Amino acid sequence: MRITPYLLSGVLFAVTASAAEVTDEQKQFFDTKIKPLLTDKCYKCHSVESGKNKGGLLLDSHEASVKGGDTGPAVVPGDVSKSLLITAISYKDKDLQMPPKGEKLSDAQIADLTKWVEMGAPDTREAVKGKLSGLTDKARQHWAYQPVVKPAIPAVKNRAWCVTPVDAFILAKLEEKGMVPRDGLMTEQGGKEVLLRRATFDLIGLPPTPKEIADFTGDNSPYAFVKVVDRLLASPHYGERWARFWLDSARYSDTTGERVNERNADYRFPYAWTYRDYVVRSFNDDKPYDRFIVEQLAADKMTDLKDPRDLAALGFITVGKRGNNVNDLIDDRIDTTSKAFLAMTVACARCHDHMFDPIPTKDYYALHGVFASIDEPKDKPVISQAGKDAAAEFSKKIAALEDNNRLNYYKLGGANDTMFRKNAADFLYVWTMTQASASADDQKAGGKRRLDKKLDQEVSRSMNRANREDVLFGPIKAFRQGNWDTVDFSKVNPIVAAAFKGVKPKSIDEVLAVYQKVFDGIEPKAQAFYKALEAMKTAPTAEEAVAVKKAAASEKESTSMMMSMDGPSSKNASPIKGYDAAEVQLMQFPLPLSASYLVTTDQLRKETDRWPLGLRPNANATRGWSFTKINALQLTDAGNDARAMVVEDSERPHDSPVFIRGQSGSPGDMVPRHFLEILSGGHPTAFKHGSGRLELAEDIASKNNPLTARVMVNRVWLHHFGEGFVRTPDDLGTMSEKPTHPELVDYLASYFMEQGWSLKKLHRLIMLSKVYQESSKTITAYETIDPENRLLWRANVRRLDFEAMRDSLLVMGANPTPTPDHPNMIDETMGGQPVNITDEPFSYRRSIYGYVDRGNLPELMQHFDFSNPEAPNSKRTSTIVPQQALFLMNSPLAIEVSRNVLLQPSFQRALNTTDRIYSIYRTILGRTPTGEEVKVAVNFLSHENLQDAKVAAEAKEMTEKAEKKAEERAKKAEEMAETSAFGSIQNEGQAVERKPLTAWETFAHALIMSNEATYIN
């Protein structure tokens, strides 16, 4: 029986009749009617044998059924009406149905289960041995948790085929199946071009240039490919390529992803890019992988950190998704740390012991204590300063935006309070009559007054604090409660008290009329007061502050009436001369405003977060505020200093308790901070230093850790061959498949560690092997033996990912002599702030520098399977959808590339049609065309040349429409960026000119759209 998720959270079989108490008649009924029904319909999702216990529920034994699921009983023996199971299978509740719609049990089956409950739910089953838990000896013996032992290189029959030890391990498996691997590309006709393209995309994510193709194909030395690999590993583009893979594992994003309109918080991370640049630099420097790990978790704790830019490594912790729940934030960091470094799903132990791997809940909360003991400092350290002139210009821009914020603050706040004062009686009437304690008639009267007077809703909302202001509105409360004679006017604002002197009101309107007179009386001074606040650019001197305090004390004014020197919540008196505290208090209602020198961006955020929604800034409505623009400027302006998104240990690091069922409101036993039990020999040592981050990092990076090297080896193999030894690179636990070549995994892991954790040496060993250089051509007989090519008897054909696809277009469109009409389409600048890589005007920077929005990933990136930055993801999906072809067909970027291909030197030098065809093939496909392909191309060009005049004539109207549409799209994007934090950042520049392609440009475009251009053979 498949149970819907809704029901799963509340399923519990409370069985009271044990096997010993079951009568012969009950036994016959259960064994023939109920047990087969449960076995057939329920066990697939709720049994130890199936390995599933959805909703925490097992139904394969009496004991498990009694224990039940996560939250409540489904069967109350003897009581059908209270049994959720019967409700669900009867489909009485549309939200509680099992099995799901379309699989409803028959009437007879429902009747049998109903009768069973009425009988007391008798059960004859014996207890199932074991439970659905990873805390078993079998799970602890899982291969990935055993020490790495370097195996001997296996003996093979065809030793001549082997070039490196890697080949021997691959060939041994093939020979067991009687298979012979494909020949190497170095000896195949045209194979060297294929191999060069494969290696170049693998290591730097770019296609080889025509010159590189010519150099390699013309080099007949035995070390020709060795030189290629060494050249590519030394290229700065290597780091840009391989850093992107790691950023997927680290769930990198330039935004928080928290798309909550009401919150006035920065949506973009202004400095996430410094982490990205750190990763690029680390790969290029071939930083030892063990140190790379430690820096990302504890760079601030390392005593030998020499380059301040390495502090940006801590972005690994901080660039994750955000929200209001601190425990969800910690969960994200635990999940990312355990998956990225260990390929373990530790976050699955948040609510209960891991069901499949040996990870007790206490291990999860041991790590929870580590991440709960860190803070993100408000002031982030500068790791690289901007140029002097650029910094000065940036400061001017920020100052202008901050000035605008202050102006808007006084404008909106002042207007709100002014509107209240002018209609105080009506606003106070509505506030009084619509209190929760008011009668229905009063509520109705208050609502009618609001509509009749068309009172501003935001002003009404801003009056929430009136309930706490007895010093102002105590008389209103007293009148409503019939206690007018008990009002102590010595505790009331002096101006209000004076106004009520001798007044004996008979109605609430008479009370409010007095208030209206009071607020009318201070209105002339209020506007001048706001201007005085706005003009107060510097803090009062100590002498001025003391003088004001003394004056206030001598007047014996209540400190609660006094305007703030440190913000509205302070108890210091107003430093502004000419206004007494009683006046200030009246003028500061409903919204208190601070002096200008106090109105910093951070202070504004705090104050406006207490304002009504219609006045405060939020993600989709700026309302005149500049917070979004400040955030965008910090992210994109070159004059902003680079800062590291660091963390630091809390002043008082602390352990965390186990949260029962993951609920923070149900704390259990305290758990010392320590590493995972399964990776600590079963006896983890409590961390002693600060949060424990450094100790955690060192435990992960230890050579004694059986997972760390294996995990990275598996991922490197994945990116070279299309699949890892284990196809779940973020989970090497017990639910993963066994590695195809376990001995090779351990050989490479051992080699990796022996070679100082050098990734470049690992690449070199793998790529110089014969198996890496295999042809992708198939062998029909082997397709039956190994249809998925897991034994690697040939090379896998792989599709380019989004970055390699887009970057290859930029290389094809490179123009050595750029002009405004034909720009150089690849900007090889290393590092720096992100750019928009999907919208016009286009940036020609490499894709790794693209702006990544966790909450709104651009459609283009989604269409090409870009990794979702919501969570760690070391292996992207690979889909084929129409939008991919439509992009290459219609994108102005692809069109512009088609034009620029003809500007390549090899095309410009070509003397005839054949040479030009050769040039285009080498630029786009990285190879020489066959004779038949040349013939097809000539025929195509002949036909297209005849169409040029016709196309130009017919394209005028279409071109005008396209240009207009592009302008509208750019304007809309610009407006979105101006008014919403969720809009993408915008580049500077010009849109691609809309004009028809020539015959040669059309031919280049056709090759760009070919499958071969987007795949690696």
Side-chain angles (χ1 to χ4, degrees):
M1 182 181 295
R2 287 198 324 209
I3 304 177
T4 63
Y6 181 94
L7 179 65
L8 288 172
S9 63
V11 175
L12 173 69
F13 275 83
V15 186
T16 57
S18 67
E21 300 167 336
V22 175
T23 65
D24 289 343
E25 182 182 356
Q26 290 173 332
K27 182 179 185 300
Q28 175 70 14
F29 182 79
F30 181 81
D31 288 346
T32 59
K33 299 286 187 179
I34 304 305
K35 186 176 179 180
L37 182 57
L38 294 175
T39 301
D40 183 44
K41 301 294 185 180
C42 300
Y43 283 12
K44 68 181 71 173
C45 297
H46 302 281
S47 67
V48 170
E49 184 177 359
S50 71
K52 298 179 182 178
N53 67 337
K54 293 185 177 180
L57 174 67
L58 290 174
L59 296 176
D60 52 358
S61 72
H62 168 83
E63 291 76 13
S65 299
V66 170
K67 182 180 179 181
D70 287 344
T71 59
V75 171
V76 178
D79 193 334
V80 172
S81 64
K82 293 182 180 180
S83 296
L84 288 176
L85 172 66
I86 305 305
T87 302
I89 63 174
S90 303
Y91 279 33
K92 295 177 181 178
D93 184 339
K94 66 178 182 179
D95 295 321
L96 187 63
Q97 298 179 348
M98 72 175 233
K101 289 181 179 180
E103 299 181 32
K104 184 180 178 182
L105 299 180
S106 67
D107 290 345
Q109 290 171 321
I110 294 172
D112 287 341
L113 283 169
T114 302
K115 182 178 179 181
W116 178 59
V117 172
E118 291 173 341
M119 294 169 64
D123 195 330
T124 64
R125 293 170 296 177
E126 295 182 1
V128 176
K129 294 182 180 180
K131 63 178 181 177
L132 197 59
S133 169
L135 306 184
T136 64
D137 289 340
K138 181 180 179 181
R140 293 186 182 94
Q141 293 303 313
H142 180 61
W143 71 270
Y145 304 137
Q146 308 313 306
V148 174
V149 178
K150 189 174 185 178
I153 299 171
V156 293
K157 298 175 183 176
N158 186 10
R159 287 184 295 175
W161 186 82
C162 300
V163 176
T164 74
V166 171
D167 296 320
F169 288 97
I170 297 296
L171 185 58
K173 290 284 186 181
L174 290 172
E175 289 182 342
E176 287 177 7
K177 298 288 185 179
M179 302 166 74
V180 178
R182 291 290 329 191
D183 293 332
L185 289 169
M186 291 292 286
T187 57
E188 186 177 285
Q189 179 69 31
K192 291 183 74 172
E193 292 173 324
V194 174
L195 179 59
L196 179 64
R197 188 169 185 271
R198 180 189 299 172
T200 307
F201 270 115
D202 272 8
L203 285 182
I204 66 172
L206 300 171
T209 66
K211 182 181 183 304
E212 290 167 348
I213 296 171
D215 289 346
F216 181 53
T217 54
D219 187 347
N220 295 317
S221 73
Y223 302 105
F225 189 60
V226 175
K227 287 185 278 187
V228 166
V229 172
D230 289 344
R231 172 177 58 80
L232 294 172
L233 289 172
S235 168
H237 296 312
Y238 162 77
E240 292 174 319
R241 176 59 171 165
W242 281 80
R244 183 60 257 181
F245 296 139
W246 180 259
L247 294 176
D248 284 359
S249 300
R251 48 67 173 116
Y252 174 84
S253 174
D254 292 298
T255 69
T256 66
E258 187 187 18
R259 296 174 66 84
V260 180
N261 293 340
E262 290 76 18
R263 293 198 65 207
N264 175 21
D266 283 342
Y267 180 68
R268 302 178 176 102
F269 291 131
Y271 306 107
W273 61 272
T274 62
Y275 171 66
R276 175 247 291 150
D277 283 0
Y278 158 81
V279 178
V280 172
R281 193 169 60 253
S282 295
F283 275 92
N284 274 334
D285 293 346
D286 199 19
K287 179 173 290 182
Y289 182 64
D290 57 345
R291 184 176 180 89
F292 181 63
I293 293 170
V294 176
E295 286 180 350
Q296 290 179 86
L297 291 174
D300 59 315
K301 311 295 288 183
M302 299 174 71
T303 58
D304 61 344
L305 199 74
K306 296 178 181 178
D307 188 339
R309 295 178 300 170
D310 288 344
L311 284 172
L314 294 168
F316 175 82
I317 298 174
T318 55
V319 299
K321 59 187 177 183
R322 301 302 174 97
N324 289 323
N325 189 323
V326 66
N327 291 309
D328 288 344
L329 176 67
I330 292 171
D331 182 74
D332 166 73
R333 293 171 176 179
I334 292 173
D335 186 48
T336 303
T337 299
S338 62
K339 285 181 178 176
F341 298 127
L342 301 170
M344 295 181 74
T345 54
V346 175
C348 292
R350 181 178 182 179
C351 302
H352 47 70
D353 293 339
H354 201 293
M355 291 188 293
F356 308 110
D357 290 306
I359 309 170
T361 305
K362 288 186 175 181
D363 272 4
Y364 177 90
Y365 287 98
L367 298 185
H368 185 284
V370 172
F371 291 105
S373 297
I374 60 175
D375 299 314
E376 292 182 60
K378 175 184 170 184
D379 295 322
K380 296 173 173 55
V382 174
I383 56 175
S384 178
Q385 291 185 321
K388 186 176 180 181
D389 292 342
E393 187 63 27
F394 171 74
S395 296
K396 288 180 183 178
K397 295 175 186 176
I398 290 291
L401 292 173
E402 290 178 338
D403 284 344
N404 179 75
N405 264 349
R406 292 188 189 93
L407 291 173
N408 204 52
Y409 171 69
Y410 294 116
K411 176 185 174 182
L412 293 182
N416 183 86
D417 290 0
T418 298
M419 191 179 296
F420 165 77
R421 287 191 295 272
K422 288 182 177 179
N423 303 278
D426 290 325
F427 278 114
L428 289 171
Y429 180 87
V430 173
W431 167 71
T432 301
M433 305 300 278
T434 56
Q435 296 288 308
S437 58
S439 67
D441 288 342
D442 285 349
Q443 294 269 3
K444 185 176 180 180
K448 185 175 184 303
R449 177 75 66 90
R450 179 188 288 120
L451 293 174
D452 290 346
K453 297 292 184 177
K454 298 180 180 180
L455 298 178
D456 188 276
Q457 191 174 19
E458 302 309 324
V459 176
S460 295
R461 288 172 175 167
S462 71
M463 294 172 60
N464 287 337
R465 71 185 184 95
N467 287 313
R468 303 188 299 275
E469 293 289 341
D470 283 353
V471 71
L472 278 181
F473 305 116
I476 298 177
K477 292 182 181 179
F479 183 85
R480 290 282 293 164
Q481 295 167 1
N483 298 325
W484 182 259
D485 293 335
T486 65
V487 177
D488 184 354
F489 281 102
S490 67
K491 296 182 179 179
V492 175
N493 179 288
I495 298 174
V496 175
F500 275 109
K501 189 173 183 179
V503 176
K504 298 290 184 181
K506 296 179 181 178
S507 68
I508 189 64
D509 285 320
E510 289 183 21
V511 174
L512 300 181
V514 174
Y515 273 97
Q516 185 65 64
K517 182 184 267 189
V518 168
F519 282 107
D520 285 343
I522 66 163
E523 181 59 28
K525 297 187 76 172
Q527 301 307 317
F529 176 71
Y530 295 144
K531 290 181 180 179
L533 285 176
E534 190 176 342
M536 194 173 180
K537 305 293 186 182
T538 58
T541 64
E543 292 78 8
E544 289 172 334
V546 170
V548 173
K549 288 184 180 181
K550 286 182 177 179
S554 66
E555 295 170 12
K556 297 182 179 179
E557 301 288 2
S558 167
T559 55
S560 65
M561 298 179 195
M562 298 176 188
M563 158 53 191
S564 165
M565 285 172 58
D566 302 319
S569 62
S570 174
K571 294 183 179 181
N572 294 323
S574 169
I576 300 177
K577 297 178 181 179
Y579 301 92
D580 65 40
E583 290 176 324
V584 170
Q585 188 179 42
L586 289 165
M587 289 185 286
Q588 292 279 63
F589 185 85
L591 296 177
L593 301 176
S594 297
S596 181
Y597 76 91
L598 293 166
V599 185
T600 63
T601 298
D602 288 340
Q603 182 65 24
L604 270 180
R605 286 192 188 283
K606 293 176 183 177
E607 288 197 35
T608 56
D609 270 344
R610 295 191 289 267
W611 284 19
L613 288 178
L615 296 180
R616 74 174 73 160
N618 66 42
N620 274 332
T622 60
R623 299 187 175 95
W625 298 99
S626 298
F627 293 107
T628 294
K629 292 180 181 179
I630 290 173
N631 185 214
L633 194 66
Q634 290 172 330
L635 174 68
T636 59
D637 197 284
N640 191 16
D641 291 336
R643 296 176 182 269
M645 291 180 62
V646 299
V647 296
E648 60 187 13
D649 284 357
S650 306
E651 289 186 11
R652 296 182 180 179
H654 59 277
D655 297 330
S656 292
V658 170
F659 295 162
I660 306 301
R661 291 179 178 170
Q663 301 299 313
S664 59
S666 301
D669 295 337
M670 296 296 294
V671 183
R673 303 188 300 283
H674 61 68
F675 194 39
L676 302 177
E677 177 184 304
I678 186 62
L679 303 180
S680 305
H683 302 287
T685 302
F687 297 149
K688 300 176 181 177
H689 305 292
S691 64
R693 277 183 296 123
L694 181 58
E695 293 158 285
L696 170 63
E698 289 171 342
D699 282 340
I700 292 174
S702 170
K703 287 185 177 181
N704 294 325
N705 187 326
L707 280 169
T708 306
R710 284 172 171 149
V711 169
M712 198 57 179
V713 160
N714 189 57
R715 289 181 188 154
V716 171
W717 193 266
L718 159 69
H719 294 303
H720 281 311
F721 292 92
E723 288 290 2
F725 298 108
V726 180
R727 287 180 285 191
T728 51
D730 288 335
D731 183 7
L732 297 192
T734 61
M735 293 301 289
S736 67
E737 64 185 355
K738 293 180 179 179
T740 54
H741 300 78
E743 296 84 5
L744 180 52
V745 171
D746 278 11
Y747 181 88
L748 291 174
S750 299
Y751 177 86
F752 184 35
M753 291 186 284
E754 290 168 358
Q755 297 299 315
W757 298 86
S758 167
L759 280 167
K760 289 189 176 182
K761 290 180 180 178
L762 182 62
H763 286 301
R764 202 172 187 274
L765 177 67
I766 291 172
M767 295 180 69
L768 295 181
S769 67
K770 195 69 170 287
V771 66
Y772 179 80
Q773 300 172 35
E774 283 180 315
S775 167
S776 62
K777 293 178 181 177
T778 191
I779 300 174
T780 305
Y782 292 177
E783 290 177 357
T784 303
I785 301 173
D786 180 23
E788 294 182 295
N789 191 34
R790 298 295 284 139
L791 299 179
L792 294 176
W793 46 272
R794 62 171 173 82
N796 288 313
V797 176
R798 293 173 279 146
R799 202 189 74 189
L800 295 178
D801 59 23
F802 168 72
E803 292 89 340
M805 180 278 299
R806 178 183 172 276
D807 292 351
S808 69
L809 291 178
L810 300 184
V811 171
M812 295 172 199
N815 183 3
T817 55
T819 66
D821 291 336
H822 294 286
N824 183 12
M825 294 190 68
I826 183 160
D827 178 351
E828 297 188 90
T829 304
M830 296 281 293
Q833 291 147 313
V835 294
N836 184 332
I837 60 171
T838 59
D839 303 319
E840 285 187 277
F842 293 117
S843 168
Y844 300 126
R845 300 201 63 198
R846 288 202 66 178
S847 301
I848 190 171
Y849 302 115
Y851 176 69
V852 179
D853 183 353
R854 174 177 282 117
N856 186 28
L857 203 62
E859 286 187 358
L860 176 63
M861 297 167 80
Q862 294 182 54
H863 293 158
F864 282 91
D865 305 313
F866 189 88
S867 180
N868 185 346
E870 281 287 316
N873 180 22
S874 301
K875 180 184 176 183
R876 298 184 186 181
T877 56
S878 183
T879 62
I880 299 175
V881 294
Q883 290 88 341
Q884 294 165 357
L886 290 172
F887 165 77
L888 292 170
M889 182 183 295
N890 300 320
S891 167
L893 179 68
I895 300 298
E896 187 70 3
V897 169
S898 302
R899 295 194 182 103
N900 271 26
V901 165
L902 308 190
L903 301 177
Q904 295 296 321
S906 58
F907 187 90
Q908 294 291 310
R909 290 194 304 265
L911 300 176
N912 54 55
T913 297
T914 301
D915 287 348
R916 292 188 184 100
I917 293 170
Y918 271 52
S919 171
I920 292 176
Y921 258 85
R922 286 171 177 153
T923 298
I924 297 175
L925 302 182
R927 67 174 177 84
T928 303
T930 64
E932 182 61 28
E933 287 171 331
V934 171
K935 182 178 178 181
V936 169
V938 169
N939 290 335
F940 175 86
L941 289 164
S942 298
H943 178 269
E944 287 297 310
N945 277 321
L946 296 175
Q947 304 295 316
D948 275 355
K950 181 181 178 182
V951 169
E954 295 177 347
K956 184 178 179 181
E957 183 180 352
M958 189 182 300
T959 298
E960 290 174 351
K961 288 182 179 179
E963 288 177 344
K964 185 177 180 181
K965 189 173 182 180
E967 290 174 3
E968 292 173 350
R969 191 161 45 236
K971 185 177 179 181
K972 184 177 179 181
E974 192 172 322
E975 290 174 351
M976 181 73 170
E978 285 283 319
T979 60
S980 172
F982 300 150
S984 183
I985 59 177
Q986 297 300 300
N987 305 320
E988 294 181 355
Q990 296 179 334
V992 173
E993 182 183 1
R994 268 59 176 176
K995 60 182 181 180
L997 296 176
T998 66
W1000 279 103
E1001 290 167 347
T1002 302
F1003 174 63
H1005 190 207
L1007 287 188
I1008 287 172
M1009 290 189 291
S1010 68
N1011 278 342
E1012 186 176 348
T1014 54
Y1015 280 83
I1016 304 172
N1017 285 324

